């Protein structure tokens, strides 16, 4: 630095550059520290939002516990008083034993979509029962009845669920289609878990081949003959086995 004393102007310039570089490094370090703090806070807030969203969705589904969604009923079949129509129509259709041949319904209406044309699929009907037990009896009776017909129309009864749960369950559509093709039995567990049951009879196609074909790019299956398993649809759209019972592992 002594040699730079001969060039005071250059020395001052280098000194300024050194000071500015030090200041920039300090600012960068402070910014990085702030970013780390902000990232941690953002992650914390995201977790809180996710937890609150799940809580809200759970509350919404609890509010729908007494609701049933009816699919396939022709438009205007319920007339001008849907509540009164369904109070007697449901027991007659499903063969339910009730007091005075009626079930108590709080309200019933079509979904709020535009009314379809003559050759289009009818809008679903939302029915809210007064008692949860009546709602459950209706769903149980519809399952026992198998295919339910009303004036050449196939009628289906489903539990009313939130849009978030329906989106998760929709991820299983292709899986359920292939299960039906193989003759395997399955059921959907709340909120979005597919339960596949295989009795193991010699005449029933083994599920291993189907599962490997369908889920090979989704999960790793390390078993030979499936008896019972649960496949959970996660938020990323994948399929994860969360519980399984096998002959051998």
């Amino acid at each position: 630095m002594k040699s730079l004393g001969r060039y005071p102007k250059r020395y001052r310039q280098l000194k300024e550059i050194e000071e500015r570089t030090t200041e920039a490094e300090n600012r960068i370090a402070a910014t990085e520290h702030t970013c780390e703090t902000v990232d941690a806070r953002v992650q914390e807030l995201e977790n809180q939002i996710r937890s609150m969203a799940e809580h809200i969705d759970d509350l919404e589904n609890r509010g729908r516990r007494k609701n049933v969604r009816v699919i396939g009923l022709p438009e205007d079949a319920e007339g001008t008083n849907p509540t009164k129509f369904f109070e007697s129509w449901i027991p007659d259709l499903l063969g339910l034993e009730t007091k005075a041949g009626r079930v108590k319904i709080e309200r019933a209406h079509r979904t709020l979509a535009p009314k379809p044309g003559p050759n289009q699929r009818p809008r679903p009907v939302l029915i809210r029962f007064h008692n949860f037990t009546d709602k459950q009896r209706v769903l149980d009776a519809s399952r026992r009845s198998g295919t339910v017909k009303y004036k050449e129309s196939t009628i289906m009864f489903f539990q009313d669920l939130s849009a978030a749960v329906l989106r998760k369950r929709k991820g299983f559509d292709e899986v359920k289609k292939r299960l039906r093709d193989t003759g395997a039995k399955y059921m959907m567990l709340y909120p979005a878990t597919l339960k596949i049951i295989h009795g193991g009879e010699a005449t029933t196609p083994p599920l291993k081949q189907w599962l490997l074909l369908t889920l090979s790019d989704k999960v790793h299956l390390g078993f030979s003959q499936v008896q019972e398993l649960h496949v959970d649809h996660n938020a990323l759209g994948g399929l994860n086995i969360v519980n399984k019972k096998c002959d051998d592992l």
Side-chain angles (χ1 to χ4, degrees), residues 165-224:
V165 172
L166 290 176
R167 281 195 299 270
K168 290 181 179 180
R169 292 191 170 201
K170 189 172 179 59
F172 289 117
D173 285 353
E174 180 61 25
V175 177
K176 291 190 291 185
K177 180 179 181 300
R178 297 200 182 191
L179 278 171
R180 289 192 294 269
D181 293 341
T182 62
K185 297 180 180 180
Y186 66 88
M187 65 179 67
M188 290 299 303
L189 304 179
Y190 180 83
T193 298
L194 178 64
K195 181 179 181 181
I196 306 171
I197 301 174
H198 177 47
E201 296 88 350
T203 56
T204 304
L207 285 182
K208 178 192 173 184
Q209 296 178 0
W210 172 83
L211 286 167
L212 289 175
L213 176 64
T214 306
L215 307 178
S216 58
D217 60 334
K218 301 290 185 181
V219 295
H220 174 69
L221 303 175
F223 49 88
S224 59

Side-chain angles (χ1 to χ4, degrees), residues 2-3 7 10 15 19 26 28 33 36 93 110 125 149 156 158 165 168 170 176 184 192 195 240 244:
K2 289 183 179 180
S3 60
Y7 309 99
R10 295 289 179 86
K15 191 66 175 176
E19 292 174 353
N26 292 336
I28 291 172
H33 176 71
E36 291 176 358
L93 183 69
R110 297 275 179 176
V125 178
K149 289 286 188 178
M156 293 177 288
F158 298 100
V165 172
K168 290 181 179 180
K170 189 172 179 59
K176 291 190 291 185
K195 181 179 181 181
N240 297 327
K244 59 180 180 288

Side-chain angles (χ1 to χ4, degrees), residues 45-58:
L45 292 174
E46 286 180 348
N47 293 336
Q48 290 180 4
I49 292 172
R50 187 179 300 109
S51 176
M52 287 188 291
E54 292 174 354
H55 182 63
I56 291 171
D57 188 62
D58 180 65

